[in-house]
Amino acid sequence: MIWALVFLPLASALASVLIRSDRIRRAMLVATAAAHSALTGICWIAPPAVAPGAWVGLDAAGRLFLGISSLLFLAVSVYVAHSLGRESRGRQTEEDTGAVFVNAPEAVFTACLLMFLSTMTLVVASRHLGLLWVAVEATTLATAPLIYFHRQPSSLEATWKYLLVCSVGIALALLGNFLIVVASASADGSGGTLLAPDLVARAAQLRAPWLKAAFVFLLVGYGTKMGLVPMHTWLPDAHSEAPSPVSALLSGALLNCAFLGILRAHSICAAAGLGDFSGTLLAGFGLLSMGVAAAFLANATDYKRMLAYSSVEHMGVLALGAGLGGVALYGAMLHAVNHSAVKAGLFLLAGNFLAAYRTKSIARVGGGARRLPASGLLWLLGLFAITGAPPFGTFASEFTILKAAFAQGRTAVAVVALAALAIAFAGMSKAFLGMSLGRAPEGETSAPEREAASAVWPALALLAVSLVLGLWIPHGLQAVLVQAAHLLGGGAP
Amino acid sequence: MGNAIDILLVLLVLTDLVLLGSSRLRNAIRIVALQGLALGLLPLLAHGRGRLWPAILLGAGSAVLKGFVFPALLRRALRETRASREIEPFVGYIASLLLGVGALALSFGFGARLPLPWAAPSPWMVPAGLFSVWTGLFLIVARRKAITQVLGYVVMENGIFALGMVLVEAMPLLVELGVLLDIFVAVFVMGIIVFHINREFDHIDSDQLEALREGAP
């Protein structure tokens, strides 16, 4: 079952290189995404049994993150099938920089997207930390060509930065894996293991100093990929240069995958009685990320970079929730679902703005609600969804985390987090309101344009997910959230 | 066996130092290739009981990739560029070497103090590995060219590979091979991007020349 989830996109990636017709290839992309989601749905309804020593298997946390990734990929694939059609074929000019460029071949782009889905599935299904490492590095390699779809110097620079920073970061995580082996091996050097469930079961016998060192390396390594400050330097560049649907997947799905790697390490530490150590580190990085990102959000000039910094901020929220532990970990799980849905939706809408206005500058976009009636309105709703306003799900999850912080007596932490959220809200609302309701810039038309259904519906569906989750959490999802929180060493309300 | 491992590790440290002071790209590529070949022998010498075949597979795979495939790729990328073959450091060669010697001393200090639960195949293994990781990171941040950064990445992976030999008993072969495959693809993709960087920047230069010509009366 799990292998089917991994190999189905891989096979269709191979096929997409061979298929000549763009129309058939786009249809196959959507069909593969739909099949992947259907299989994921089956895994949710009837979780496949996992053999004790198996390297791959879906536990509750794996199911949760697989669900997010698969759903997101489905929505994005529908959008991609449309947005590839509006990309021009020949030489084109980027209006912000004046660069002349051509696009990468569509077949390669589609193949990399599908390989990305395959490697992402492997990440969430890995129970073996070594396999997890291999899969996370593979996601980096599959996504690098996606960022360089628009073949212009700025994209190239972003791709290079992404590839190098993440590869080096991930190499440090490999050292962390080595240290875990040292922590778990017996005195003659045999019997070391990297199987996460075994490590949790044997946690009491692990060598604590080595485990601590391992956690630091894993946190820095996967934290680079997750976009925690100060390892986030690649993130705003890559997200603003990548085509919008790719940014949606990077923010919504890939960052979560890296977070799962950190969570696995955190759960081993928690089982070994080092939960305070790893939790404090996580919460510290989380607060730092929220604070730094809020400062950048207050002065954003490029709306895709703004969304990227908002991702840094929300990764900070996730790390904070996981670090606080207890009910806050449940809150972090819920927030991961909410943030992924909202952020992916917003990036897709940003793609519509970019297609209409041909610029990423906030100042040069205005009157979006008139010119793009659907996208402009959704963009406004998205503002409330991303900043955690009720009734959206992000409010519920951020509230859960902050309430847990107060309940644990960490008032200072909660106050700093609230301040960061407030600054982010102020900065983002200025930009969002101007883009949707502000005056149209000189020389830009404000006549309403017809928007294609497939450019709007995916974003609408994703925002609706967050709205529904704010009002009512389905029983099945609630069960998985609670199980995942318990599995990773937290609690549930 | 112990002596042979020591010699390889000394070779690793020496090649790192040479890299820090080397000013020619072509030379640097050759040195990294030599380092990769030497490290390919390491699993053969350090392998544990009954793990001869996996060790041969890992060693041979690593030696072929790092000794032949990577250098060929990088040389190809270098051939396409019309830029100078100087390394163009941010930090000068002498300063790099001095920093390197300092880092080497620190690595030895740290390696001697690290209370490994069991004896490594050679007391040099941890310090040499750590020093190689440091050298790789240093080359990535202190050299200007993309191709030198790829070399730094390979050197860093070599260091991690040497450190991994301490755990040769405990790491499953499949993981080691997966790691090797990832590094291969990573360097492959990096090579392609270096190629694009060269082409893109040549392309831009010539485009600008064209634009100027059109603009002239």
Side-chain angles (χ1 to χ4, degrees):
Chain A
M1 187 70 181
I2 294 157
W3 289 117
L5 279 166
V6 174
F7 283 114
L8 172 76
L10 204 59
S12 108
L14 282 177
S16 78
V17 183
L18 302 174
I19 292 176
R20 290 289 174 125
S21 151
D22 285 346
R23 193 178 293 273
I24 297 177
R25 197 183 313 107
R26 288 172 200 163
M28 191 189 65
L29 174 67
V30 177
T32 310
H36 191 272
S37 295
L39 283 174
T40 304
I42 296 175
C43 285
W44 271 63
I45 295 164
V50 184
W55 283 22
V56 293
L58 282 172
D59 52 17
R63 271 211 300 289
L64 182 68
F65 285 92
L66 177 66
I68 300 175
S69 307
S70 189
L71 195 69
L72 230 59
F73 194 87
L74 180 60
V76 167
S77 70
V78 172
Y79 184 93
V80 164
H82 164 77
S83 75
L84 281 175
R86 74 184 175 201
E87 293 280 353
S88 76
R89 311 230 141 233
R91 289 155 75 87
Q92 43 189 320
T93 311
E94 162 90 29
E95 298 201 356
D96 286 337
T97 57
V100 178
F101 66 97
V102 291
N103 288 341
E106 196 181 313
V108 175
F109 180 78
T110 313
C112 285
L113 265 183
L114 287 162
M115 264 177 345
F116 177 32
L117 178 63
S118 166
T119 50
M120 210 156 52
T121 309
L122 192 60
V123 171
V124 295
S126 291
R127 286 152 54 90
H128 190 279
L129 295 179
L131 187 64
L132 180 82
W133 185 90
V134 172
V136 172
E137 173 69 17
T139 59
T140 312
L141 302 173
T143 44
L146 294 176
I147 298 173
Y148 188 40
F149 178 62
H150 294 144
R151 292 197 163 162
Q152 51 176 328
S154 51
S155 314
L156 191 59
E157 190 188 331
T159 310
W160 181 250
K161 214 165 161 184
Y162 170 64
L163 196 59
L164 204 70
V165 172
C166 285
S167 293
V168 170
I170 298 284
L172 295 179
L174 184 60
L175 277 180
N177 276 348
F178 286 175
L179 293 170
I180 284 205
V181 173
V182 175
S184 65
S186 53
D188 62 350
S190 65
T193 180
L194 279 170
L195 262 178
D198 284 10
L199 285 165
V200 171
R202 282 167 42 185
Q205 297 139 33
L206 300 180
R207 295 186 180 86
W210 291 90
L211 189 56
K212 279 184 181 175
F215 181 76
V216 172
F217 275 97
L218 288 171
L219 178 63
V220 170
Y222 292 138
T224 309
K225 193 81 200 255
M226 183 186 168
L228 292 177
V229 175
M231 294 88 76
H232 70 292
T233 47
W234 62 272
L235 196 146
D237 292 345
H239 282 63
S240 69
E241 289 303 326
S244 301
V246 173
S247 316
L249 283 177
L250 288 179
S251 254
L254 185 60
L255 303 185
N256 281 342
C257 286
F259 180 50
L260 186 61
I262 297 177
L263 282 177
R264 299 251 184 244
H266 176 56
S267 69
I268 296 166
C269 285
L274 298 172
D276 278 345
F277 168 78
S278 56
T280 309
L281 272 177
L282 261 174
F285 272 108
L287 275 183
L288 183 67
S289 304
M290 289 175 74
V292 171
F296 278 100
L297 282 172
N299 314 303
T301 55
D302 168 329
Y303 54 89
K304 283 189 80 186
R305 286 184 88 86
M306 174 180 69
L307 292 180
Y309 275 112
S310 157
S311 292
V312 174
E313 189 208 3
H314 284 277
M315 288 303 120
V317 174
L318 292 187
L320 176 66
L324 290 172
V327 182
L329 185 57
Y330 165 87
M333 296 286 106
L334 184 58
H335 195 67
V337 182
N338 280 314
H339 167 252
S340 294
V342 174
K343 185 53 63 59
L346 283 176
F347 266 119
L348 297 184
L349 293 173
N352 293 345
F353 274 95
L354 188 56
Y357 287 87
R358 320 292 308 163
T359 176
K360 286 183 276 196
S361 156
I362 293 171
R364 287 169 54 200
V365 175
R370 278 188 304 280
R371 180 162 168 190
L372 304 170
S375 297
L377 184 66
L378 287 175
W379 187 249
L380 269 186
L381 286 179
L383 165 66
F384 294 105
I386 199 66
T387 50
F392 285 96
T394 40
F395 172 75
S397 45
E398 282 176 0
F399 183 71
T400 310
I401 295 172
L402 290 173
K403 202 174 83 175
F406 279 118
Q408 292 173 6
R410 300 189 197 182
T411 318
V413 171
V415 169
V416 172
L418 266 174
L421 288 174
I423 295 171
F425 178 72
M428 289 184 84
S429 43
K430 197 174 68 188
F432 273 71
L433 292 176
M435 286 175 68
S436 269
L437 303 176
R439 194 186 298 274
E442 291 288 318
E444 286 284 354
T445 165
S446 63
E449 287 177 19
R450 249 186 75 80
E451 292 186 80
S454 49
V456 174
W457 274 98
L460 175 64
L462 289 168
L463 289 179
V465 166
S466 177
L467 182 61
V468 168
L469 287 182
L471 303 169
W472 166 71
I473 298 176
H475 180 71
L477 177 63
Q478 174 71 9
V480 171
L481 286 170
V482 171
Q483 278 174 35
H486 281 303
L487 178 83
L488 297 168
Chain B
M1 286 300 206
N3 274 335
I5 295 179
D6 285 348
I7 292 170
L8 286 179
L9 292 171
V10 171
L11 198 62
L12 179 63
V13 170
L14 286 179
T15 45
D16 285 344
L17 286 171
V18 175
L19 270 178
L20 287 173
S22 143
S23 68
R24 293 265 150 190
L25 272 175
R26 207 165 274 283
N27 247 348
I29 293 174
R30 206 169 297 141
I31 294 161
V32 173
L34 176 69
Q35 195 176 68
L37 281 175
L39 282 179
L41 290 174
L42 211 51
L44 297 180
L45 299 171
H47 76 91
R49 298 171 299 275
R51 296 212 355 158
L52 181 61
W53 282 110
I56 290 177
L57 196 60
L58 184 63
S62 166
V64 168
L65 277 185
K66 293 175 182 166
F68 299 104
V69 179
F70 290 176
L73 249 170
L74 293 177
R75 238 175 255 141
R76 201 185 116 78
L78 185 65
R79 226 189 351 257
E80 303 292 338
T81 165
R82 271 170 250 158
S84 80
R85 277 93 207 273
E86 289 287 328
I87 280 182
E88 298 178 25
F90 285 122
V91 181
Y93 303 116
I94 305 291
S96 304
L97 269 175
L98 287 177
L99 283 171
V101 171
L104 186 59
L106 279 178
S107 304
F108 267 95
F110 188 70
R113 219 160 288 177
L114 204 66
L116 261 182
W118 62 85
S122 152
W124 284 67
M125 205 164 248
V126 174
L130 284 177
F131 179 60
S132 231
V133 171
W134 180 87
T135 308
L137 283 173
F138 183 81
L139 288 180
I140 290 173
V141 297
R143 299 289 184 262
R144 203 183 298 264
K145 287 210 162 136
I147 204 162
T148 339
Q149 293 178 327
V150 183
L151 286 176
Y153 177 69
V154 176
V155 170
M156 180 180 163
E157 288 293 349
N158 283 344
I160 292 178
F161 187 81
L163 285 175
M165 285 302 120
V166 177
L167 316 164
V168 75
E169 299 269 338
M171 276 293 265
L173 173 78
L174 207 56
V175 170
E176 300 261 25
L177 287 179
V179 170
L180 199 58
L181 180 72
D182 267 351
I183 294 167
F184 166 61
V185 182
V187 172
F188 189 74
V189 175
M190 285 179 189
I192 291 174
I193 293 183
V194 168
F195 175 77
H196 275 286
I197 290 176
N198 294 333
R199 209 195 49 179
E200 189 71 59
F201 285 88
D202 279 345
H203 173 79
I204 286 174
D205 290 342
S206 56
D207 244 12
Q208 280 169 346
L209 287 176
E210 229 167 280
L212 281 176
R213 220 173 290 152
E214 274 168 29

